[in-house]
Amino acid sequence: MYLFLYLPLVVVVAYSFNQSRLGAEWTGFTLHWYQVLFADAEMMRAAWNSLVIGLVASVSATVFGTLAGLALHKFRLRLLPVLIVTPLAIPDILWGVSLLVFFVLLNLTLGMLSVILAHVAFCISYVAVVIRARLSGMDESLVEAARDLGATAWGSFRFVTLPLMAPGIIAGALLAFTMSIDDFVITFFTAGVGTTTLPLKIYTMIKVTVTPEINAVSTLLMVLTMLLVLAIARLSPQIPSGKP
Amino acid sequence: MALLEIRHVTKRFGGLAAVSDASLEIQPGEFFTLLGPSGCGKTTLLRMIAGFDVPDAGQILLDGVDLAATPPERRPFHTVFQSYALFPHMTVADNIAFPLRMAKVDERKLAARVAAALGEVRLQDMGTRYPNALSGGQKQRVALARALIDRPRLLLLDEPLAALDLKLREQMQSELISLQKDVGITFVYVTHDQGEALALSHRIAVMNEGRVSQIGTPDEVYEFPANRFVADFIGTCNLLDARVMALDGERVTLNVAGLGTVRAWSSRPCQQGDRGVLALRPEKIQLDRAPSSGGEASHFLGTIRGQMYLGDVTVYKVEIGNAVLVEALLPNSTARGARLFAPGDQIYLSWGYDAGRFIHDG
């Protein structure tokens, strides 16, 4: 089953180094397609857009998501958990269509801004869930101990809660960045005409013809995503959370 | 004047009263223990002293000044938590320095004080370690050093030894006693372990169902329990239904169900006809093959029904008459002590007139 899952990926990586233009048979190793890729101005612009959107969206979503995660942990609210978790279950296509209609209603011109807003919206939930998981693993008496030893409410947050939350915040930010840079469906609906991200660019190229250049860009995207996922996994259990 | 005074404090969670109308005074330099079964309100009371919980009614006063408006960080108290609550992202030295940093103590003076505190708890070489790399006993000592470094007026300890194994617990008990003597800081100690309370405390407040049942020195609460609960909770105690037939000051003559006339002391003033229990500690009962003579003592003939060997002592279950079953405890003063009596043996029980306590109901 895993073979079935990963074999196509391996094929894409392998053929990104293939000399043949048509891709069917192996004719020799080359880095030619990577050179083509980096010389492709449109592709580079799409990559730049993806990067900007990913960074702005993940940073904003991390701020809001962290606050939401703190609220989820601190107050035993009824509605907020539902509001936070539901977006994770809503299909992307629904997100895409509803955000598009919403932006049109607001008379917002579709472009970078609308894509960023859309990405922030769906990334908040991921960050909030990661933060809450991190906080629920924390010994409650640590905050009380800080107060008891002379820290104010702010001081106990600054010196105890925040440092213990930090790995969760970083993991949440990386997760949001991964979600943003890989997103196709929601971006497709909210990008408008002028703005192209990497996944959108790949899609339009594939409609014309499959060139090894697509294999090359897919390989790079895959490597980036894997590195991020690895970083998230490494961060999660690394620093002890203080449970006795 | 008392260092800390608790006046008619009540705390409810939902509809349930965790602490109801508790009053007590803690004197400077005292090792004071709140003792009771889980759910008796002792931890809630401690949390109210620390400032984590706010009383619904009543006052907590330090040097006669109400603490109601003082947040935890401004109370000159520190707590040693059951889970130790060491900050996992800080080294041992940073943990211990935390109260000083919060008080904005000069960083240059700080290092020397932290080093001294580490020495006090014999962890000189552990300053750069993280709490996760420490054993339970070491964590305990770091928690103590951290809580004592800026010399609080009161040290609050919430079952600090509960997580340690028996040998280490005994060792930490004597360390706590000498530490308290050395630093001269008032300790308020919460525990459900009556043995620990007796061993450590100057005075004990026994708590039950949110109320203070009795306050006294360890021997007072052991020898003169104020009520049935205290007699039963502290140590083991034979409790036999009884009624006052005659009295002469604190000495009472009782009619005990199944035994007849027994003489005892009364913990509180009582009247003829009062109902209650005769409380008799197992170690105060003597067992003999032949009837002993002693004018004032109570004598009964009984049958050994059960025997439990505990190493230092042997506990016998003895049936008197046909209904009354009492426990008696004999030290195993010789190697053959355990086989002194066997189930089925007829023996004589006796105890001095001052061994039994009459506790009247209500």
Side-chain angles (χ1 to χ4, degrees):
Chain A
M1 203 59 221
Y2 277 108
L3 194 73
F4 185 73
L5 202 62
Y6 285 107
L7 198 59
L9 298 178
V10 175
V11 170
V12 167
V13 175
Y15 277 88
S16 74
F17 298 107
N18 191 1
Q19 279 177 348
S20 164
R21 166 164 283 279
L22 295 168
E25 60 183 317
W26 183 261
T27 50
F29 179 85
T30 179
L31 288 175
H32 173 70
W33 303 115
Y34 288 89
Q35 286 163 355
V36 172
L37 178 65
F38 284 105
D40 186 339
E42 268 187 59
M43 190 66 96
M44 282 300 107
R45 225 188 56 210
W48 175 250
N49 283 344
S50 276
L51 197 68
V52 170
I53 292 166
L55 282 175
V56 177
S58 60
V59 169
S60 326
T62 302
V63 173
F64 293 122
T66 302
L67 294 175
L70 276 168
L72 280 177
H73 178 72
K74 185 145 193 186
F75 310 106
R76 301 276 172 253
L77 302 163
R78 246 180 241 171
L79 193 61
L80 192 63
V82 181
L83 288 178
I84 295 284
V85 176
T86 309
L88 302 176
I90 289 178
D92 280 3
I93 187 91
L94 223 95
W95 267 109
V97 173
S98 53
L99 280 167
L100 173 64
V101 173
F102 183 65
F103 288 144
V104 169
L105 275 175
L106 286 178
N107 244 339
L108 186 82
T109 318
L110 298 183
M112 285 291 265
L113 182 64
S114 61
V115 174
I116 288 174
L117 285 175
H119 281 206
V120 171
F122 80 80
C123 284
I124 286 177
S125 295
Y126 289 97
V127 178
V129 167
V130 172
I131 295 287
R132 179 167 67 161
R134 181 80 198 167
L135 285 173
S136 66
M138 202 173 99
D139 182 3
E140 283 293 324
S141 59
L142 289 176
V143 175
E144 283 182 347
R147 293 296 297 274
D148 185 71
L149 296 168
T152 57
W154 164 249
S156 70
F157 178 77
R158 162 77 185 74
F159 296 114
V160 176
T161 312
L162 197 61
L164 289 174
M165 248 171 42
I169 294 174
I170 296 168
L174 292 176
L175 186 63
F177 186 74
T178 314
M179 301 307 287
S180 167
I181 209 142
D182 287 352
D183 179 73
F184 173 77
V185 178
I186 296 167
T187 316
F188 182 76
F189 280 96
T190 53
V193 204
T195 316
T196 304
T197 65
L198 218 45
L200 288 190
K201 176 70 185 161
I202 294 172
Y203 175 70
T204 30
M205 280 178 75
I206 267 181
K207 275 204 294 195
V208 187
T209 168
V210 184
T211 76
E213 190 187 347
I214 291 179
N215 291 339
V217 71
S218 303
T219 302
L220 289 180
L221 202 57
M222 201 154 72
V223 169
L224 178 68
T225 312
M226 278 178 164
L227 285 177
L228 288 172
V229 169
L230 230 89
I232 295 167
R234 285 283 311 259
L235 273 170
S236 300
Q238 204 167 40
I239 294 181
S241 61
K243 262 269 192 271
Chain B
M1 186 168 54
L3 174 69
L4 191 83
E5 194 184 336
I6 290 168
R7 273 191 203 156
H8 306 292
V9 163
T10 296
K11 175 74 186 174
R12 288 180 204 87
F13 290 115
L16 254 81
V19 174
S20 40
D21 198 27
S23 293
L24 51 90
E25 287 185 1
I26 296 167
Q27 304 301 330
E30 210 173 12
F31 196 128
F32 192 91
T33 297
L34 300 170
L35 171 68
S38 53
C40 74
K42 56 192 191 298
T43 296
T44 306
L45 191 55
L46 193 81
R47 290 176 57 83
M48 285 191 283
I49 298 173
F52 303 138
D53 285 327
V54 181
D56 292 325
Q59 289 174 298
I60 298 172
L61 304 106
L62 174 70
D63 302 325
V65 181
D66 194 345
L67 285 175
T70 314
E73 67 267 24
R74 304 235 322 273
R75 300 186 183 197
F77 311 153
H78 290 325
T79 307
V80 174
F81 291 82
Q82 189 172 359
S83 64
Y84 313 130
L86 300 180
F87 305 125
H89 58 298
M90 296 181 197
T91 61
V92 166
D94 285 337
N95 262 285
I96 294 175
F98 191 85
L100 300 180
R101 292 219 167 93
M102 291 301 111
K104 304 212 159 51
V105 170
D106 192 340
E107 284 286 331
R108 280 167 297 178
K109 292 179 190 159
L110 199 129
R113 284 179 68 178
V114 170
L118 279 169
E120 237 172 63
V121 292
R122 294 183 286 108
L123 289 171
Q124 292 87 340
D125 309 324
M126 300 283 183
T128 54
R129 296 226 191 155
Y130 281 89
N132 267 31
L134 302 181
S135 71
Q138 290 171 332
K139 284 182 191 170
Q140 174 72 72
R141 296 214 290 271
V142 175
L144 277 169
R146 185 178 69 173
L148 288 170
I149 191 159
D150 62 349
R151 295 293 182 251
R153 301 284 308 278
L154 211 60
L155 185 72
L156 310 171
L157 303 106
D158 185 9
E159 308 236 10
L161 307 184
L164 305 177
D165 58 56
L166 184 64
K167 268 280 167 248
L168 194 54
R169 196 155 66 223
E170 284 170 353
Q171 185 197 328
M172 284 304 297
Q173 284 180 6
S174 36
E175 277 187 34
L176 274 177
I177 293 175
S178 55
L179 184 68
Q180 201 259 345
K181 208 187 257 170
D182 291 346
V183 296
I185 289 170
T186 310
F187 279 25
V188 181
Y189 192 94
V190 160
T191 184
H192 64 272
D193 183 331
Q194 40 99 13
E196 202 167 283
L198 294 174
L200 296 175
S201 324
H202 295 140
R203 283 196 308 148
I204 299 172
V206 186
M207 292 185 69
N208 182 34
E209 290 174 346
R211 296 177 182 282
V212 177
S213 273
Q214 186 177 2
I215 301 174
T217 59
D219 56 310
E220 271 167 12
V221 294
Y222 186 82
E223 295 291 349
F224 298 95
N227 52 51
R228 199 188 275 247
F229 172 78
V230 175
D232 200 29
F233 186 73
I234 300 191
T236 345
C237 204
N238 296 299
L239 296 172
L240 308 169
D241 287 326
R243 189 171 175 186
V244 178
M245 303 307 289
L247 66 161
D248 168 22
E250 285 176 308
R251 290 170 64 171
V252 290
T253 307
L254 303 171
N255 183 10
V256 178
L259 293 186
T261 305
V262 174
R263 296 221 264 185
W265 283 57
S266 180
S267 285
R268 285 185 293 161
C270 57
Q271 291 175 356
Q272 197 175 343
D274 277 351
R275 287 178 180 282
V277 287
L278 169 70
L280 193 59
R281 297 280 181 199
E283 75 276 11
K284 297 205 163 52
I285 300 176
Q286 272 131 46
L287 300 180
D288 295 292
R289 292 266 179 214
S292 62
S293 57
E296 299 253 27
S298 302
H299 303 273
F300 297 96
L301 183 64
T303 312
I304 303 276
R305 290 294 178 215
Q307 176 187 29
M308 200 193 292
Y309 177 69
L310 298 178
D312 51 349
V313 295
T314 303
V315 177
Y316 292 97
K317 283 201 190 310
V318 187
E319 191 176 9
I320 308 171
N322 285 323
V324 182
L325 203 63
V326 296
E327 270 187 21
L329 183 149
L330 254 62
N332 294 326
S333 44
T334 64
R336 305 194 56 80
R339 303 209 193 105
L340 218 50
F341 307 112
D345 285 2
Q346 294 268 318
I347 44 91
Y348 291 90
L349 302 90
S350 62
W351 60 85
Y353 80 91
D354 60 347
R357 300 279 169 269
F358 174 69
I359 299 169
H360 74 76
D361 294 335

